[in-house]
């Protein structure tokens, strides 16, 4: 017994001696460099948020509404010209196996108010399920019988996914007579006056190539995960899009709920499928041609947030990987462009791409989930309080501006964003290195009214209290790492940092086992 205990003590002393030998010459310098780099990235994020806060405050205080910055007049009837005085509008609705929402989307598109002979509804159906294709066709025929000019278009392959469908849709002969194209994803439901509020900006301002509306989330209260998404996206629409539109007449097209001038779309080179963010790709190329973009924050289009963890992860992979890959492909093209100003180039390269699409993802995970926890085991490396506490607190409070009703959920939002940052960082690196899964495109699952109908009889939505399709090993590993750091800090630390480490580890474990989002019954 004593021999065994002695051997164990000896092994422990050996490990401690080895750790000391490695820590001084290797771990400490590397960790100090990592802290320095992360603090630099944190400062970049802080300056970006403060700058946008100042601009958005100016916009709101001085009432820089779109109607004041651009010419806007309603399109008036002309006795001689008749309806030909109105521009021809194409409305594209791309869809793929959208059983739950196809009726809502087609109905909303066909319900748009515009002279019936000056609008074409184009349903671009890439569905692979024959039953769903038949249902969509029947719905199109039903609206056609009501006098709506609706076209049902299919293709024999899914090359290019959504970008390929939109590109193919623009090739039809009847599109040549159209001046503008409005695009709505399958879960989007524009109000009838959508075209009346957007088209006049394009008609009266020939330098505007795109008018983008804001998203309104119909299922934000479905579960805690959708509330977290609402907080992040509301900041994007309330601040980021508004600042880009007001200051530089540029922002990333959101891929839906927007109207393009077809001549601008064509001049930019049309739709390309080289990344999974074909919308952002088109926006950057059109901006480099000198076209201006306008964002209408008062015009909201209803849509659905992904409420299952599986759907949300696929969406976030695409939204993180795509921009990083596009940045890799276009950075030199942007820098060498002759048509846009130096300030606009700096904004697009540094602010729009580098800080928001790369630094924000990587720093959130590396600093708060890897480097900062590691410092508890290496006391020689000290992180200043302004970097560990003040900067993230300010950034978090600035983000809360977009969704004041969820201010009390800020702690949950921090934990959720830190946990998701692992997935986003991985996707960002895949995009930058153009590694495997760089062009992975999986359509975000929509539930429409199906889930509500199944849950209505029970009165309560069920959380996903079951292991998902698989255990997410990376989240599990990071969770154990944070737990280990927390235990070390509990035993040897003096600043109670273990409280945060334990809570964040628990958040990673919840995500690892899929205990997030809603549970969708099979029947």
């Amino acid at each position: 017994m004593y021999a065994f205990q002695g051997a164990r003590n000896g092994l422990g002393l050996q490990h401690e001696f080895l750790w000391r030998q490695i820590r001084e010459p290797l771990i400490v310098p590397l960790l100090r460099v990592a802290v320095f780099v992360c603090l630099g990235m944190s400062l970049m994020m802080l300056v970006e948020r403060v700058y946008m806060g100042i601009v958005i405050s100016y916009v709101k205080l001085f009432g820089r509404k779109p109607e004041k910055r651009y010419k806007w007049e309603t399109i008036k009837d002309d006795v001689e010209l008749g309806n030909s005085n109105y521009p021809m509008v194409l409305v594209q609705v791309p869809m793929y196996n959208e059983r739950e929402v196809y009726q809502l989307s087609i109905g909303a598109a066909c319900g748009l108010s515009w002279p019936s002979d000056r609008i074409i509804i184009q349903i671009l159906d890439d569905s692979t399920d024959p039953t769903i294709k038949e249902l969509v066709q029947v719905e199109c025929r039903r609206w056609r019988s009501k006098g709506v000019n609706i076209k049902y278009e299919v293709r024999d392959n899914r090359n290019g996914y959504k970008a390929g469908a939109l590109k193919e849709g623009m090739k039809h002969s009847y599109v040549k007579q159209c001046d503008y194209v409005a695009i709505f994803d399958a879960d989007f439901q524009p109000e009838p006056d959508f075209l009346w509020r957007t088209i006049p900006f394009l008609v009266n301002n020939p330098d505007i190539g795109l008018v983008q509306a804001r998203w309104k989330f119909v299922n934000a209260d479905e579960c805690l995960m959708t509330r977290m998404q609402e907080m992040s996206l509301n900041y994007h629409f309330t601040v980021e899009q508004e600042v880009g539109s007001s200051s530089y007449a540029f922002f990333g097209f959101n891929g839906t709920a927007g109207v393009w001038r077809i001549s601008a779309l064509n001049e930019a080179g049309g739709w390309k499928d080289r990344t999974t963010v074909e919308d952002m790709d088109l926006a950057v190329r059109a901006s480099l041609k000198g076209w201006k973009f306008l964002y209408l924050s008062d015009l909201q289009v209803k849509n659905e947030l992904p409420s299952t963890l599986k759907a949300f992860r696929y969406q976030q992979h695409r939204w993180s990987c795509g921009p990083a890959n596009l940045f890799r492909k276009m950075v030199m093209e942007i820098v060498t462009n002759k048509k846009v100003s130096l300030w606009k180039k700096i904004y697009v390269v540094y602010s729009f791409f580098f800080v928001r699409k790369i630094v924000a993802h990587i720093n959130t995970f590396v600093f708060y989930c890897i480097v900062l926890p590691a410092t508890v085991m290496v006391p020689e490396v000290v992180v200043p309080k302004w970097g560990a506490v003040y900067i993230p607190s300010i950034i978090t409070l600035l983000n809360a501006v977009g969704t004041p009703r969820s201010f009390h959920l800020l702690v949950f939002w921090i934990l959720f964003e830190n946990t998701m940052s692992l997935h986003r960082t991985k996707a960002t690196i895949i995009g930058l290195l153009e590694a495997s899964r760089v062009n992975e495109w999986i359509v975000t699952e929509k539930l429409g009214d199906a889930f509500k109908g199944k849950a209505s009889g029970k009165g309560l939505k069920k959380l996903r209290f079951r292991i998902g399709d698989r255990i997410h090993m990376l989240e599990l590993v990071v969770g154990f790492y944070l737990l280990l750091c927390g235990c070390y800090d509990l035993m040897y630390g003096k600043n109670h940092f273990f409280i945060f480490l334990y809570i964040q580890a628990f958040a990673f474990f919840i995500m690892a086992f899929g205990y997030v989002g809603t549970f969708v019954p099979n029947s």
Side-chain angles (χ1 to χ4, degrees), residues 87-89 117-118 120 149 173-179 262:
M88 196 74 179
V89 179
D117 60 337
R118 306 300 293 171
I120 302 173
N149 187 4
S173 58
Y174 56 82
V175 175
K176 294 179 181 178
Q177 59 186 303
C178 298
D179 305 293
I262 292 180

Side-chain angles (χ1 to χ4, degrees), residues 315-365:
Q315 181 201 68
Q316 292 303 297
H317 174 84
R318 193 170 73 245
W319 286 7
S320 302
C321 179
N325 190 232
L326 182 63
F327 176 71
R328 169 192 169 115
K329 285 177 162 57
M330 291 204 69
V331 61
M332 291 309 300
E333 184 179 344
I334 298 169
V335 171
T336 58
N337 184 272
K338 304 294 184 182
K339 289 190 176 182
V340 297
S341 66
L342 175 62
W343 285 114
K344 192 168 186 177
K345 290 181 185 179
I346 293 173
Y347 173 76
V348 175
V349 172
Y350 175 77
S351 178
F352 180 77
F353 273 115
F354 188 64
V355 177
R356 289 190 229 163
K357 310 301 182 185
I358 297 174
V359 168
H361 297 327
I362 294 176
N363 190 57
T364 301
F365 173 66

Side-chain angles (χ1 to χ4, degrees), residues 19 44 70 81 90 99 153 186 195 217 222 243 261 276 280 282-283 287 292 331 351 379 382 412 467 485:
W19 168 244
M44 292 167 67
Y70 294 98
L81 297 175
L90 174 70
R99 181 189 293 273
E153 306 291 357
L195 296 178
F217 312 111
E222 188 165 315
V243 169
R261 187 186 301 274
T276 56
M280 187 183 295
L282 175 61
S287 179
K292 294 180 179 180
V331 61
S351 178
V382 178
F412 294 101
I467 296 179
C485 293

Side-chain angles (χ1 to χ4, degrees), residues 65-84:
K65 294 185 176 181
E67 293 81 359
K68 293 183 178 180
R69 291 186 287 121
Y70 294 98
K71 186 178 179 182
W72 191 94
E73 292 180 2
T74 57
I75 302 172
K76 300 177 181 178
D77 293 330
D78 190 296
V79 178
E80 296 182 359
L81 297 175
N83 285 344
S84 61

Side-chain angles (χ1 to χ4, degrees), residues 174-438:
Y174 56 82
V175 175
K176 294 179 181 178
Q177 59 186 303
C178 298
D179 305 293
Y180 309 107
V181 54
I183 302 168
F184 301 101
D185 281 352
D187 59 316
F188 279 72
Q189 304 166 54
E191 295 296 328
D193 65 347
F194 180 88
L195 296 178
W196 293 109
R197 296 176 65 179
T198 54
I199 297 297
F201 282 109
L202 292 159
V203 170
N204 294 299
N205 301 276
D207 55 342
I208 294 180
L210 165 68
V211 176
Q212 171 75 59
R214 180 175 176 170
W215 297 3
K216 180 181 179 180
F217 312 111
V218 297
N219 66 330
D221 293 324
E222 188 165 315
C223 61
L224 187 59
M225 190 179 80
T226 53
R227 288 291 293 271
M228 300 299 99
Q229 293 177 66
E230 181 193 36
M231 292 177 69
S232 298
L233 288 171
N234 273 353
Y235 179 82
H236 169 70
F237 285 107
T238 303
V239 180
E240 292 178 345
Q241 296 291 78
E242 189 73 81
V243 169
S245 176
S246 302
S247 303
Y248 304 94
F250 169 80
F251 48 82
F253 175 44
N254 296 126
T256 178
V259 186
W260 276 95
R261 187 186 301 274
I262 292 180
S263 59
L265 192 154
N266 291 334
E267 185 183 351
W271 295 102
K272 293 185 179 181
D273 59 1
R274 56 181 176 170
T275 69
T276 56
V277 284
E278 73 295 324
D279 43 13
M280 187 183 295
D281 187 351
L282 175 61
V284 174
R285 285 185 281 114
S287 179
L288 294 181
K289 293 292 183 180
W291 291 100
K292 294 180 179 180
F293 302 160
L294 176 62
Y295 173 67
L296 303 179
S297 59
D298 293 334
L299 179 57
Q300 301 184 2
V301 180
K302 293 186 290 186
N303 72 295
E304 179 184 328
L305 291 164
S307 56
T308 64
L309 178 60
K310 181 179 179 181
F312 182 63
R313 282 173 63 88
Y314 281 134
Q315 181 201 68
Q316 292 303 297
H317 174 84
R318 193 170 73 245
W319 286 7
S320 302
C321 179
N325 190 232
L326 182 63
F327 176 71
R328 169 192 169 115
K329 285 177 162 57
M330 291 204 69
V331 61
M332 291 309 300
E333 184 179 344
I334 298 169
V335 171
T336 58
N337 184 272
K338 304 294 184 182
K339 289 190 176 182
V340 297
S341 66
L342 175 62
W343 285 114
K344 192 168 186 177
K345 290 181 185 179
I346 293 173
Y347 173 76
V348 175
V349 172
Y350 175 77
S351 178
F352 180 77
F353 273 115
F354 188 64
V355 177
R356 289 190 229 163
K357 310 301 182 185
I358 297 174
V359 168
H361 297 327
I362 294 176
N363 190 57
T364 301
F365 173 66
V366 174
F367 189 31
Y368 302 115
C369 300
I370 300 296
V371 174
L372 203 56
T375 59
V376 303
M377 293 187 288
V378 187
E380 296 92 333
V381 180
V382 178
V383 180
K385 187 173 289 187
W386 59 264
V389 179
Y390 299 149
I391 286 181
S393 297
I394 294 172
I395 291 175
T396 301
L397 291 173
L398 289 174
N399 187 89
V401 171
T403 317
R405 79 182 187 103
S406 297
F407 190 83
H408 62 291
L409 298 175
L410 276 181
V411 173
F412 294 101
W413 180 79
I414 293 170
L415 296 173
F416 180 76
E417 286 294 297
N418 286 350
T419 306
M420 280 305 301
S421 67
L422 165 60
H423 190 63
R424 292 173 181 143
T425 297
K426 181 179 70 172
T428 300
I429 293 172
I430 288 173
L432 288 174
L433 300 180
E434 213 159 41
S436 61
R437 292 188 66 197
V438 67

